Structure formats: C-alpha cells, structure tokens
Amino acid sequence: DRISIIEGEKAATKGGMSLRKFIQRIKNEIGDGDEFTPEITSISYGPYMLYANFLHEGDKSMLKKTLLDLIKEAVISGDDYDIEVENEDENENTDAIFDRLSPEQESEIQELEEKTFIDLSVL
C-alpha cells in the first residue's frame, strides 16, 4: 500500500519532519486508534536503512533528527565509508560532515535536496 504523508508548514520551518513525527503519523494512518497499533520495524530510502526498531527504538537523538538529515547521512556513510564515519564525533553536526564529501556524494545530496517528495519504504 502507498500512504502519503505531507509535511506541514511548521515542520518545514524547523528544517523538516522528525523521524519521531513520521513514525507517529504512519501509525496514525494505518492504526485503528483503539485495538490495533502497528509496529514499525524498519524505514528505508532505496538501499539505505534509516531506522530499525531493534536498533533505534529508544535512541532519542535519532528520533529527533529530520528525515532529510537521516537520508543525507545514509547516502554519505553508505558509500563504503568514504569519509571516516566510524571515527567521527557523535556530536558533530551534519553540516560539518558535508564539508568532506566526494564529488559523487555532493551530486547525490544535491539531487536529494531538489526533490519535491521522498519515497520511503516502511515495514
């Protein structure tokens, strides 16, 4: 099934919809509100896994990140760790990471930022 989640103006002004809000909106769309509350096991963007409940369910910092930032981080780190992701400071912001991108990564990020919608797979 396909569900469209439209980002509100409030989320857009804050840099985008957070992962937590996205999960909440999906659950609201497919749950019945009373007896059935769906479990989101994973969220992916193409070949990149953005969220897995067994890895990230209690990770508050991850749940606060915007979907676009999570996708950008996945695109960057998914390229055979061209930048030393495993050695970076956990508190380093996403903008600092973007300073060390390869031309291919920069191109992929540019294309992502120009999209009017993002197609995610949710299980």
Side-chain angles (χ1 to χ4, degrees), residues 3-34:
I3 299 172
S4 294
I5 303 291
I6 312 262
E7 183 177 76
E9 288 182 33
K10 185 178 177 183
T13 60
K14 292 182 176 182
M17 184 182 297
S18 70
L19 176 61
R20 177 184 323 243
K21 185 68 171 178
F22 179 74
I23 291 171
Q24 178 184 12
R25 297 266 308 265
I26 291 290
K27 287 181 176 183
N28 290 343
E29 284 285 326
I30 60 177
D32 65 10
D34 292 323

Side-chain angles (χ1 to χ4, degrees), residues 3 12 30 46 57 65 69 71 80 86 102:
I3 299 172
I30 60 177
E57 194 164 35
K65 290 184 180 183
D69 281 346
I71 294 169
D80 293 327
E86 63 273 359
S102 70

Side-chain angles (χ1 to χ4, degrees), residues 63-88:
L63 292 169
K64 288 180 182 179
K65 290 184 180 183
T66 67
L67 287 170
L68 188 58
D69 281 346
L70 288 171
I71 294 169
K72 288 177 182 179
E73 289 174 11
V75 166
I76 293 166
S77 65
D79 203 12
D80 293 327
Y81 290 105
D82 281 347
I83 58 173
E84 297 298 321
V85 174
E86 63 273 359
N87 291 332
E88 62 184 60

